[in-house]
Amino acid sequence: MWTVLWFRPATMSTLLLLLLLSNLCRLGQSMSREEKLKLRNQVVEMFDHAYSNYMDHAYPADELMPLTCRGRVRGLEPSRGDVDDALGKFSLTLIDTLDTLVLLNKTTEFEEAVRRVLTDVRLDNDIVVSVFETNIRVLGGLLGGHSMAVMLKDAGHHMQWYQDELLHMAKDVGLRLLPAFNTSSGLPYPRVNLKHGIRGPESRTGTETDTCTACAGTIILEFAALSRFTGDPVFEVHARRALDFLWEKRQRNSNLVGTTINIHSGEWVRRDSGVGAGIDSYYEYLLKAYILLGDDLFLQRFNIHYASIMKYISQPPLLLDVHIHKPLLPARTWMDSLLAFFPGLQVLKGDIRPAIETHEMLYQVTKKHNFLPEAFTTDFRVHWAQHPLRPEFAESTYFLYKATKDPYYLEVGRTVLDNLNRFARVPCGFAAMKDVRTGSHEDRMDSFFLAEMFKYLFLLFAEEEDLTFNVEDYIFTTEAHLLPLSLSTAPHAPSPPANTTVQAPSLPHLSAYVKSLWSEEELDDSNFDWTCPNTRLLFPDPAFPRNLRDPIRSAVDKSCPRPAIHREPGMGRPPLRAQDFMANNPDHLELLRRMGVSLIHLKDGRVQLVQHATQAVSAVAAEDGMRFMQEMMELSSQQQKEQLPPRAVQIVSHPFFGRVVLTSGPAQFGTDLSKSITGVRGFVTVAEPYSGCAELSNAAFVQGRIALLQRGQCMFAEKARHIMKAGAIGGIVIDDNEGSSSDTAPLFQMAGDGRNTDDVTLPLLFLFYKEGNILLEALKEYREVEVLLSDKARDRASIFKGKPLPGILLESRRDVQEEEEDCSTDQTSPVPAATLDQSHVRTVKQDESAPHNEEVTPEDDVGPAIKRNPEPEEEPEVDMDSSRKSVEAMMADWREDLEAFQQMEDEL
């Protein structure tokens, strides 16, 4: 039994969506509010990770390249073909993200973003862009931003300064797109020059003859909204004309449209028809134009198309392309991922059963490959392996949950979240999948990821009180931009006569109205095309949706069985990420073992990873191991793209006086020593904890000094932040891999942690084990050791410039060596920093407030560094002869290090 309503949405804007919220009996155990809150907060954190990295590393570029942590600027990167037509040097991602900020309750960030758009974005660039992409992303983004700005201003708390500036920019964009519609058919050219339009040699466009159906048919929402916001009908007129032409050119027998059409003659160039790439949003905009604008003509056309789709293309749960002239003949045996929007559209239409079936098929394919492949076969295998983080599946998941309130779809959303974090998250954002089979990444994060994905996931888990406005008062464009349904009553261009429909009453009288409908003796079946089903009556059995899903799940499993999901003990947690891996972490090593990955320490200090899938504890673990190895290769490649020259750690205190130079590796963050004339000079002290991965317990001793840290257990940037908080002026990280040396290992440079590291303002250098041990032994023997951190070794005379050189530096090398022997037993304090000329050398004074004789025992001071060779509990008396020999041996090593460092400098 169906509950029937027909109405004009122009006067009852929210009824369509409200009808879809009828309560379907809940299946299984509902998700708790606490769990939903946790997932909602996780969505916000993921958005922050993506958005902040775009703003920190890419803005004002159009998009972020998350693997190389930089912006994608068209013309500066290798061309990717048509994909780059979305880029117009107009800060695409920021504009596309405006209304997402408001939906996620980030009103302060929204206000700042609007000011940036108004200040920084130029729309008159001499560049050829896609009319379709610029319309849905830029024009739609500006209109969505304007809608949110007006809403916030009317609420009286934010944006009180706003005077429709985004709307003025939107009209500018619309006027720049209009020349594309100057064709005999009214269909737009696929591309337009933002500065020069279509005609003329300067435009470098206007010679195309073909466009896709979606490209020409996905204009009406943005152009009609622009007309109704501004009162200028020209935009809506052109969009309607394009839709009218496509309707006229449909195949009259099948009532289907092709994928590509000639914009001049109207001939179909590609005659295959489906609901995926090339056509998808044409159907979407017919239905949504009816909802937004209240014109029955759009719904009439949609219903005719939809009936043909369900007759020829829909083969539940599949949606297969057919030929428009021979619709019973399949056009291909694979599906593309863009059709994942269609279950959501079916929800808006009110056809819930096929929506559940197709969505379940897509979910099973997602679970099989972690993401929807860009295309997959009818037996659910990969056809095209890419996945550019498309949001259409999340969109349909949200709409099905809204329609049914079935907690099953919350679990689907959790799967989407987990897979994004497990497989797509990288230090600088989220990277598209180059191959879902191997987990390899592509250096792209499209603007639609921020515009759409996080909107739908946030709404999926949010409670009504989490939202600052009523989403039901808006409709989502194909790019998920929010347009107010109140536009239906705004002045607009005249439309052809529409069928007269019964106007529904206000919501308080809805039940009485429904009863009155059933009092009619006869019902006109044609009116069913104008109705939405009541899901409560459609699914009287709570198990009905599950009964729809189970056969589909079984069919997918049988055609392409997936590995068992049961994880061995220890594998229940998310798989290890390359960016988190620490070679000295026992838990990480155990996870590697379970994934079939072996770790080998090489003599030169490097670590080699080898995977043997057959040694993994399960097929799932082997798959995780393959992805881990792929991530490690990408991470290594990313860190090697920008090679920095070596740095120097020069010991300047007694008895070394600058003769000892240790080759060190730089950090890709913090103070750039190559830009410092003086370098950074100070006494060293060992941080406690030695790892530097927690707040320092000896901050009083670290303050004003250079902290020594051990590699491992946390990210380098985290170590830097902890010693900075303790007041250190620099840091030296010492390798924990015994035997590693700059003599045999390539230069090592420390990467950041994937977040913005601008807050790190001190220098951080890296010493291999051999060089670090030299420094630790010197500290152990002389208690106070002063070093100079610089981009290259400094002449000893310049170190002490302006002051008398110690006598040891005035003699010949032979005399110097003799003097060293005389000084080797003199345990005097180093030259006080206060005696140096501070106008030439950065120095650090001894903290006079602290006890001057405060010392740390060797075990406490460098315990972690020498744990492989522990000292006796009682310190033996110093053997002077052996001490001299030890110093001489160390000096020989130091001279070799200095020569090696100079040789590396020469090579660079």
Side-chain angles (χ1 to χ4, degrees), residues 67 368-371 382 385-387 389 419-426 430-443 577-578 622-635:
L67 298 183
K368 194 174 294 296
H369 304 294
N370 300 315
F371 299 98
V382 173
Q386 305 93 330
H387 175 77
L389 307 183
N419 287 348
L420 285 172
N421 274 321
R422 289 176 63 191
F423 307 118
R425 187 167 183 145
V426 294
F430 291 85
M433 307 304 297
K434 187 176 183 179
D435 192 321
V436 297
R437 295 165 297 191
T438 64
S440 59
H441 291 128
E442 190 175 353
D443 200 4
R577 301 299 306 272
E623 185 180 350
D624 289 342
M626 183 169 62
R627 291 193 185 90
F628 174 81
M629 295 292 287
Q630 183 67 37
E631 286 183 358
M632 287 297 296
M633 288 187 286
E634 291 176 358
L635 192 61

Side-chain angles (χ1 to χ4, degrees), residues 62-63 83 86 92-93 96-97 100 133 136-137 338 374 387-392 432 444-456 478-481:
D62 283 318
E63 289 181 342
V83 176
L92 175 63
T93 297
D96 222 0
T97 308
T100 307
E133 298 290 356
I136 66 171
R137 299 201 207 187
L338 283 171
E374 196 71 330
H387 175 77
L389 307 183
R390 294 199 184 278
E392 286 79 12
R444 63 184 286 196
M445 187 179 81
D446 292 82
S447 68
F448 55 67
F449 182 64
L450 285 163
E452 301 183 64
M453 181 70 80
F454 295 111
K455 277 196 187 84
Y456 292 125
T478 194
E479 191 77 2
H481 292 307

